[in-house]
Amino acid sequence: NVIGSLLLIILTAVSALLVGHYAFGMLTSTQHMASLSITDVSAINPGGNSNTYITFTVVNNGEDPIEINVVTIFGVGIGLWSPVTLQPGQSVTFSATVSSGWHIAVFIGSNSVGGASTSTINTSSGTDSVGSVGTIAVSGQDVNTGQTVTAQASVVIQD
């Protein structure tokens, strides 16, 4: 029964190879974790005048580069003129000015990176008044997987 023994040896070797490939694949599979956070948020409306000044830092806490393409301030989405790509562990600080008539200008350092005007919200609604709560959000894409990544933070507007 040499043929039966040889067949058993071949089947054992093939199954060992399959189990080995499965185990190796499980141990070396590439996991992609994409994560953003918003830190150091401040919103100041000095003296309750018509301008609110906002700063916030966006951090890439994930394992893949993320391209940030939208910043949302007090419900107004602002597409960035040039998306900002953050490598893992990297951060960027945005500043924004919400002026009367709800014109919003967004900056990185002194460089303007986006802006919007809207008539859907106005300063008379009290949305940017001292003591009210505003929401800041960012949205982008994982450069490797195309996954949408978002982060959001709330801030109480100070005097």
Side-chain angles (χ1 to χ4, degrees):
N1 215 321
V2 173
I3 294 177
S5 295
L6 188 55
L7 188 57
L8 185 60
I9 291 171
I10 290 173
L11 287 175
T12 303
V14 167
S15 62
L17 286 171
L18 288 173
V19 168
H21 282 287
Y22 175 78
F24 180 74
M26 291 300 288
L27 295 175
T28 62
S29 66
T30 303
Q31 296 287 332
H32 293 275
M33 187 193 75
S35 175
L36 288 174
S37 64
I38 299 175
T39 62
D40 304 324
V41 182
S42 73
I44 299 172
N45 186 328
N49 73 12
S50 61
N51 293 335
T52 301
Y53 303 97
I54 302 160
T55 61
F56 57 97
T57 300
V58 179
V59 182
N60 180 349
N61 300 312
E63 299 169 347
D64 288 345
I66 297 175
E67 184 178 87
I68 298 169
N69 46 27
V70 175
V71 173
T72 302
I73 298 175
F74 300 166
V76 178
I78 302 159
L80 300 183
W81 295 321
S82 294
V84 176
T85 301
L86 293 180
Q87 299 299 318
Q90 199 174 29
S91 65
V92 63
T93 298
F94 289 93
S95 62
T97 302
V98 180
S99 58
S100 60
W102 276 88
H103 176 75
I104 302 175
V106 179
F107 299 89
I108 297 175
S110 61
N111 296 321
S112 178
V113 295
S117 291
T118 179
S119 59
T120 59
I121 305 173
N122 60 51
T123 54
S124 64
S125 68
T127 309
D128 70 340
S129 61
V130 172
S132 63
V133 177
T135 303
I136 308 298
V138 293
S139 180
Q141 272 192 323
D142 182 315
V143 171
N144 294 331
T145 67
Q147 173 187 359
T148 299
V149 184
T150 60
Q152 181 175 311
S154 295
V155 61
V156 176
I157 300 172
Q158 303 294 316
D159 185 1

